[in-house]
Amino acid sequence: MIGCQLLRVTAGAGLHRWAGGLSAGLRHRASGNLGTECSQNNIRTMPEINTDSLDSQQVQLLAEMCILIDEDDQKIGADTKKNCHLNVNIDKGLLHRAFSVFLFNTENKLLLQQRSDAKITFPDCFTNTCCSHPLSTPEETEEQDALGVRRAAQRRLKAELGIPMEQVTPDELKYLTRIHYKAQSNGIWGEHEIDYILFVQKDVTLNPDPNEIKSHCFVSKEELKQLLEKGKRGDVQITPWFQLIADTFLYKWWDNLQNLKPFEDHDKIHRM
């Protein structure tokens, strides 16, 4: 089983471990309830959620304002990250804008992360390089060429993986397409997103935040397939959006890292 250790994948040798992971001192707890929240357009009353058992740093992030959208990805307002991911008594959760970054090194290996145990949604799950949300700010709501989303991705690559801002700029992040999906994390939290897919190939400096990331590793296609097979057997957990992308588009894109232009599809939203 995958524990609180970093995962190393080596060609032909399967999955191995090395020391690392979360320290006990990072598992701070927050107290209190999260109830009524203000959206950009109205007051939205949500169920009271007790946060005593949740990590304080992650609870603070629940106040960030995500971008609410309709099913055509048109902005219709803003609401807190908490409300956007709350599924109690809500069939789908609030549809909001998100992104998924796939970063490859110059050896054509993909950087994966394992989400920390502190994460409120999908803790301990393996996923692509970075997954998060643009915020409802002037900088990150810029629609032209998905510039706002790409700026948000640069911000989160720094926050989660410690990648210096100058090492991955918005111009270097290639926007391929969008997927629309929903997924339950547990009985309380989940995702309902239109997810922008962003690719970049570059060698970078990594200094992950252990409150965000439990482990990270670069993998080849074959090594990723081994990991996903482990996920199907229940030996490890995989985030649903990463599994969807791996099952549909990922390997085709991976085979064409040097020429992704033909795979750009900014008009269609893939419903998954």
Side-chain angles (χ1 to χ4, degrees), residues 116-219:
S116 80
D117 294 332
K119 298 294 285 185
I120 294 171
T121 58
F122 303 100
D124 196 44
C125 291
F126 285 91
T127 195
N128 51 284
T129 310
C130 181
C131 324
S132 192
H133 314 89
L135 301 181
S136 185
T137 64
E139 294 79 11
E140 296 187 8
T141 53
E142 174 60 52
E143 302 279 352
Q144 184 67 34
D145 298 323
L147 179 57
V149 172
R150 291 185 286 118
R151 285 170 174 162
Q154 180 193 37
R155 171 177 58 83
R156 288 304 297 174
L157 286 168
K158 168 64 175 174
E160 294 183 21
L161 289 151
I163 299 174
M165 299 279 277
E166 65 274 12
Q167 286 193 10
V168 178
T169 65
D171 287 344
E172 292 175 299
L173 290 158
K174 296 179 177 67
Y175 162 40
L176 294 185
T177 192
R178 293 167 290 177
I179 67 169
H180 177 188
Y181 79 97
K182 59 179 178 177
Q184 289 279 344
S185 177
N186 55 28
I188 299 174
W189 306 99
E191 292 284 7
H192 187 208
E193 300 178 333
I194 290 181
D195 192 19
Y196 285 63
I197 309 303
L198 306 173
F199 267 44
V200 61
Q201 184 170 26
K202 194 169 192 182
D203 291 329
V204 295
T205 303
L206 298 173
N207 184 24
D209 178 354
N211 189 259
E212 293 285 341
I213 294 177
K214 185 174 183 175
S215 70
H216 66 284
C217 55
F218 282 93
V219 297

